Amino acid sequence: MEQVYIFMLVALFVLAVIDLVVGVSNDAVNFLNSAIGSKAVSMKTIMIVASAGIAFGAIFSSGMMEVARKGIFNPDQFYFQEIMIVFIAVMITDILLLDLFNSLGMPTSTTVSIVFELLGSAVAIASIKVFEKGDGFQEVLNYINTTKAFEIIRGIFVSVIVAFSVGAIIQYISRLIFTFDYEKKLKTVGGLFGGIAITAISYFILFKGLKGVSFITEDTLNWVNNNTMLLLLVSFVVWTLVSYLLQNVMKINILVVIIVIGTFGLAMAFAGNDLVNFIGVPLAAFNSFQIWVREGMPSDLTMGALAQKVPANTYMLFLAGVIMVITLWFSKKARAVVETGVNLARQNDGAERFEPNYLSRMVVRGTVNLSKGIGYVIPNSISKKIDARFAEPKKKPAKDEEAPAFDLVRAAVNLVVASILISIGTLLKLPLSTTYVTFMVAMGSSLADRAWGRESAVYRVAGVFNVIGGWFVTALVAFVAASLFATIIYFGEMIAIVAMLIIAGLLLFRSYVAHKRSEKEKEANRKFDRADLITINEIINESSDNISSVISKVNRLYTGVIDNLGLQELGNLKKNKKALNKLEEEVDGLKSDVFYFIKSLDDTSVEASKFYILILDYLQDMVQSIGFITKNSYSHVNNNHKNLKFNQIRDLKSIDKELQVLFDEISVSFGKEEFNDVSTIILKHKQLQDHVAVLIQKQIDRIRTTETSPKNTKLYFSLLLETKDLIGATINLLEMFKEFHDDYRKIVR
């Protein structure tokens, strides 16, 4: 029996390492967003500072380890073997759930996940025990630390409202003081702002950290507690003077200093506050095993001893910190999650990740109407003064990936407010969700900073609702999945544990492969910055790349649809629809960038903008034609209509073969930017268009003699007519490209 629990312990610590990796990948958004979004310092510097913060935080995290042992359930109500089942079910659930959110690039709360997993698995085992005893279900409440559990849950959800509100208020006041032209104001009030900000962050770093360190004496802690206000006052005076000297004497931007220190503080908070979410459960399991062995390994040992305070293993915490730092440097999924937060908070317009929904439209419409109502109340002179404080310096719109998503003022406010709120939650011994706090502070400051303008608000609000909705999903899925896994392990015992570990491993591997493939596709589709498209030659090259890429994908899609339609392969036709969606998004993204493209042109290249726009228009016509072909074919098979007749499939395949050859020639020629054969390709397309017209007449003759299926006729005509339009759009595109390219060559000569 002892070997079984040793295996479970080994499995738990392996799961803990994996959980550290997936957890850091998701929570990196908490402390990296502000520094990365503002471009305050280089990425290498940001990573070094964050790594140091994580290392310190891991050592300081011992005070929070009680949550996993007694924060959610009453350990004295569970036997040792039951506790082990609870713990291993929690870890399997946590890894799969966090990895899912990482793959989606969505930030979620590791605190909420661990709390609801502990709650779900404990409720499941307690319910089984109650059922076996024949007691009423209300007895389950005796197994759960309901007071503490509800206190944690309430604290987490209240923090969402508080963080958003405080972030918005502080940012609004800060922007009124500094404006967007903040360099001038820093000379006068920069020292005071730095003193307040760094004092708040240093209080959070030092005083919060001291309370969790095992080697700090009780007398030292008592002295700190009794002299907190004095220490804060001294700290404020010292940091104000230092900030003034840095800003005005040494010419070092104090906002950059605040951002660096704040990034360190939040990274430390993440490790100090959230490390319990990753290794607290395995450490609690190890403590349980030690108690069980010490008591002689009885089968009926309850785990009331877990409620006692157990000193944390500093070496174990340090090792966890090392794993977290390594993950931070190498996790690509962490970057995907960070991109989501930065994208929603950025100051400028651009491609939006989230689609608007009814709720976001309603909120934006209501806010606009409220703003108009307030405008009638506030005197016009005051409104103009406020608007002037929020007026951004005039600059040339451009999609520059190197440009900051927001300025240093907002980044500093985000870090200071988040640090203060997290320090308050940590001092109250609540496993506060650092994700909730940092994300909602960033969203509140974005709103106050007018980053969500009429052009982007409906998308940004939808994104916030999506993320918050994901948090509720986290809680629900964590509870249900952990309950289910605990029940399966309880009845399936060792076989169930091994099977679930294997399944979890396979799912993680599949997720890794899928994410790697997705990253390759993004890299392949990534265009160079359109802010640099300033010459006609570069416009031709960019258009050539777009044509080659789109036609290559249309070619594959057309062949796939015709083949799968002939074989009645509904599953493959569904995959064709997904490929179509990606292609539509790609072309739509190109058209969305037209504004920035035109703004970036110099005076000698403006005429070329019309050429670029028309090229995109013809590409969209082609995508619409292949979209109609794909969707109608899928609908026909999905509705279980009769297959097309053999001669119809044969005719479609003949068109497909000719189209394949022509599209391949276009893809190769435009991919290599060799346009000498364009005239020949156009001629061949016109011949193919005539062939399609012949097939249309042929089908008309069939209807007059042998054709009996109206559904087949409708589909077949639709395919032929859309193919004709597809070829026509291709001819128009090639003719226009050839004409523009020839004219350009004449000018160059």
Side-chain angles (χ1 to χ4, degrees):
M1 180 62 74
E2 184 180 2
Q3 287 75 16
V4 173
Y5 294 120
I6 291 175
F7 171 80
M8 292 177 71
L9 275 177
V10 172
L12 278 167
F13 278 101
V14 172
L15 291 172
V17 173
I18 300 172
D19 205 26
L20 281 167
V21 173
V22 296
V24 173
S25 296
N26 197 275
D27 273 1
V29 64
N30 301 338
F31 49 88
L32 293 181
N33 263 15
S34 294
I36 292 177
S38 64
K39 306 281 186 182
V41 290
S42 68
M43 189 65 186
K44 185 177 180 180
T45 302
I46 293 171
M47 298 297 283
I48 292 172
V49 170
S51 300
I54 287 176
F56 276 93
I59 298 172
F60 293 169
S61 64
S62 58
M64 296 298 297
M65 290 298 165
E66 308 299 316
V67 176
R69 292 199 302 270
K70 60 180 181 179
I72 304 301
F73 56 84
N74 298 317
D76 60 318
Q77 297 292 323
F78 293 89
Y79 296 129
F80 168 66
Q81 58 269 32
E82 295 166 347
I83 283 286
M84 294 298 286
I85 291 172
V86 167
F87 288 154
I88 200 163
V90 165
M91 292 304 293
I92 293 173
T93 306
D94 202 51
I95 288 171
L96 295 178
L97 182 60
L98 293 181
D99 186 69
L100 172 63
F101 274 89
N102 291 344
S103 299
L104 295 174
M106 296 278 282
T108 190
S109 171
T110 55
T111 302
V112 167
S113 64
I114 204 73
V115 165
F116 278 89
E117 285 154 5
L118 284 166
L119 189 61
S121 56
V123 167
I125 300 301
S127 300
I128 294 171
K129 288 167 64 73
V130 168
F131 179 77
E132 289 177 346
K133 290 179 181 179
D135 296 332
F137 186 75
Q138 65 273 13
E139 291 297 317
V140 172
L141 297 178
N142 294 329
Y143 293 80
I144 308 301
N145 187 349
T146 53
T147 302
K148 187 66 174 179
F150 282 115
E151 181 184 353
I152 291 171
I153 295 168
R154 184 175 62 252
I156 288 172
F157 288 104
V158 167
S159 69
V160 171
I161 300 173
V162 172
F164 185 85
S165 303
V166 175
I169 293 169
I170 299 299
Q171 176 59 37
Y172 189 82
I173 295 172
S174 299
R175 187 61 70 191
L176 284 176
I177 295 172
F178 286 103
T179 74
F180 281 95
D181 190 17
Y182 53 83
E183 287 84 359
K184 297 177 182 178
K185 286 289 182 181
L186 285 177
K187 295 178 181 179
T188 54
V189 297
L192 180 62
F193 184 79
I196 296 172
I198 300 176
T199 298
I201 297 172
S202 60
Y203 169 77
F204 164 56
I205 293 173
L206 298 177
F207 301 153
K208 177 264 171 187
L210 287 174
K211 296 178 184 297
V213 181
S214 56
F215 51 79
I216 297 297
T217 64
E218 192 70 27
D219 291 339
T220 302
L221 288 176
N222 290 334
W223 186 87
V224 170
N225 289 329
N226 295 331
N227 296 275
T228 298
M229 293 306 299
L230 176 63
L231 290 170
L232 284 175
L233 181 60
V234 173
S235 178
F236 170 70
V237 173
V238 171
W239 282 120
T240 299
L241 291 173
V242 170
S243 298
Y244 181 84
L245 291 173
L246 289 173
Q247 180 65 48
N248 295 295
V249 179
M250 301 178 68
K251 304 302 180 183
I252 297 175
N253 192 323
I254 191 60
L255 296 178
V256 173
V257 176
I258 294 170
I259 291 168
V260 170
I261 297 175
T263 299
F264 175 87
L266 272 187
M268 179 180 156
F270 155 68
N273 198 67
D274 286 7
L275 187 58
V276 61
N277 302 336
F278 313 129
I279 67 170
V281 168
L283 289 179
F286 182 65
N287 292 337
S288 302
F289 180 78
Q290 289 177 316
I291 295 168
W292 181 66
V293 172
R294 187 174 66 237
E295 295 296 328
M297 298 184 290
S299 59
D300 59 348
L301 176 67
T302 57
M303 300 308 298
L306 274 184
Q308 301 173 7
K309 187 172 180 63
V310 179
N313 188 319
T314 304
Y315 296 105
M316 193 75 71
L317 297 176
F318 178 76
L319 179 61
V322 170
I323 296 171
M324 294 164 84
V325 169
I326 293 173
T327 302
L328 182 66
W329 280 87
F330 295 102
S331 174
K332 291 185 178 180
K333 288 188 177 181
R335 297 171 194 170
V337 179
V338 169
E339 284 175 6
T340 299
V342 172
N343 186 276
L344 287 174
R346 74 185 190 277
Q347 192 73 28
N348 298 321
D349 295 327
E352 302 291 346
R353 175 180 171 183
F354 297 94
E355 291 297 322
N357 51 48
Y358 174 78
L359 190 57
S360 70
R361 293 188 185 99
M362 185 175 66
V363 169
V364 172
R365 191 174 294 115
T367 304
V368 170
N369 292 333
L370 178 63
S371 177
K372 290 179 180 178
I374 294 174
Y376 290 119
V377 177
I378 298 177
N380 196 39
S381 58
I382 296 178
S383 296
K384 286 182 178 180
K385 288 181 180 179
I386 293 175
D387 290 339
R389 308 298 290 180
F390 281 85
E392 296 185 57
K394 291 183 179 180
K395 54 186 178 181
K396 189 178 182 180
K399 278 192 62 179
D400 186 357
E401 292 182 358
E402 296 303 316
F406 41 82
D407 69 1
L408 299 178
V409 173
R410 177 135 63 97
V413 168
N414 287 346
L415 290 163
V416 172
V417 174
S419 296
I420 293 173
L421 293 179
I422 293 171
S423 65
I424 293 172
T426 305
L427 289 171
L428 294 175
K429 288 295 181 183
L430 291 175
L432 192 71
S433 171
T434 53
T435 300
Y436 284 15
V437 172
T438 54
F439 181 82
M440 294 310 296
V441 166
M443 294 304 102
S445 66
S446 300
L447 176 66
D449 219 20
R450 301 187 180 182
W452 299 352
R454 294 289 290 271
E455 295 288 325
S456 61
V458 70
Y459 304 98
R460 307 284 179 87
V461 174
V464 173
F465 283 146
N466 275 318
V467 173
I468 294 175
W471 297 344
F472 286 100
V473 170
T474 298
L476 179 62
V477 173
F479 183 90
V480 173
S483 302
L484 178 63
F485 291 168
T487 303
I488 293 172
I489 294 172
Y490 183 88
F491 291 106
E493 299 179 340
M494 194 64 186
I495 296 175
I497 294 175
V498 173
M500 293 185 70
L501 290 173
I502 292 173
I503 293 172
L506 292 174
L507 289 174
L508 289 174
F509 179 75
R510 180 185 177 188
S511 171
Y512 169 78
V513 172
H515 187 265
K516 194 171 183 181
R517 187 188 309 120
S518 174
E519 287 298 309
K520 285 183 178 179
E521 290 178 0
K522 286 181 181 178
E523 193 64 33
N525 292 330
R526 194 183 300 276
K527 302 295 181 184
F528 61 90
D529 190 356
R530 285 171 182 78
D532 296 330
L533 286 175
I534 57 173
T535 68
I536 294 178
N537 188 52
E538 287 172 328
I539 295 170
I540 291 175
N541 293 340
E542 169 75 350
S543 300
S544 177
D545 290 341
N546 291 338
I547 291 169
S548 177
S549 174
V550 172
I551 284 185
S552 177
K553 291 172 183 177
V554 169
N555 190 12
R556 290 197 300 269
L557 198 52
Y558 189 91
T559 299
V561 170
I562 299 302
D563 288 344
N564 293 320
L565 177 62
L567 297 172
Q568 296 279 285
E569 288 284 351
L570 182 62
N572 288 337
L573 285 170
K574 190 173 183 179
K575 291 180 181 178
N576 293 144
K577 281 187 67 179
K578 290 182 179 179
L580 170 67
N581 291 336
K582 290 183 179 180
L583 181 58
E584 288 175 337
E585 289 174 3
E586 181 181 336
V587 174
D588 188 61
L590 291 172
K591 297 197 77 172
S592 297
D593 292 340
V594 165
F595 172 82
Y596 303 98
F597 165 75
I598 294 175
K599 281 285 186 180
S600 67
L601 294 174
D602 61 11
D603 294 337
T604 62
S605 305
V606 172
E607 290 298 323
S609 60
K610 183 179 179 181
F611 161 76
Y612 185 77
I613 292 168
L614 289 175
I615 287 290
L616 295 183
D617 190 50
Y618 284 131
L619 289 177
Q620 188 170 56
D621 288 344
M622 295 176 67
V623 171
Q624 287 174 346
S625 294
I626 192 63
F628 192 88
I629 291 169
T630 303
K631 293 171 184 176
N632 275 268
S633 299
Y634 173 80
S635 178
H636 184 87
V637 177
N638 193 35
N639 290 332
N640 298 302
H641 296 317
K642 291 180 181 179
N643 195 4
L644 295 179
K645 292 186 177 181
F646 173 77
N647 52 6
Q648 292 173 323
I649 296 295
R650 180 193 60 201
D651 291 342
L652 288 172
K653 280 302 297 178
S654 69
I655 296 173
D656 176 43
K657 288 180 180 178
E658 292 183 55
L659 203 56
Q660 273 191 54
V661 174
L662 295 177
F663 277 175
D664 283 340
E665 289 179 1
I666 296 173
S667 296
V668 172
S669 296
F670 281 75
K672 294 180 179 179
E673 297 178 6
E674 297 174 353
F675 311 119
N676 296 328
D677 297 330
V678 172
S679 297
T680 305
I681 296 173
I682 292 173
L683 181 60
K684 290 179 180 178
H685 271 81
K686 289 181 178 179
Q687 292 171 351
L688 180 57
Q689 199 173 37
D690 293 338
H691 182 200
V692 174
V694 170
L695 292 180
I696 292 173
Q697 182 60 47
K698 189 176 177 181
Q699 176 63 17
I700 293 173
D701 296 338
R702 285 196 197 109
I703 295 173
R704 302 286 296 174
T705 55
T706 60
E707 189 65 67
T708 58
S709 174
K711 293 294 183 184
N712 281 16
T713 300
K714 176 186 175 184
L715 175 65
Y716 187 62
F717 270 135
S718 297
L719 296 179
L720 290 178
L721 292 171
E722 288 300 328
T723 300
K724 186 171 178 291
D725 290 345
L726 175 63
I727 298 170
T730 307
I731 293 171
N732 292 335
L733 183 148
L734 294 176
E735 288 179 338
M736 189 187 69
F737 188 93
K738 182 179 182 301
E739 180 183 353
F740 184 85
H741 181 256
D742 290 345
D743 290 343
Y744 171 68
R745 289 179 64 183
K746 290 177 183 177
I747 295 172
V748 173
R749 288 174 185 171

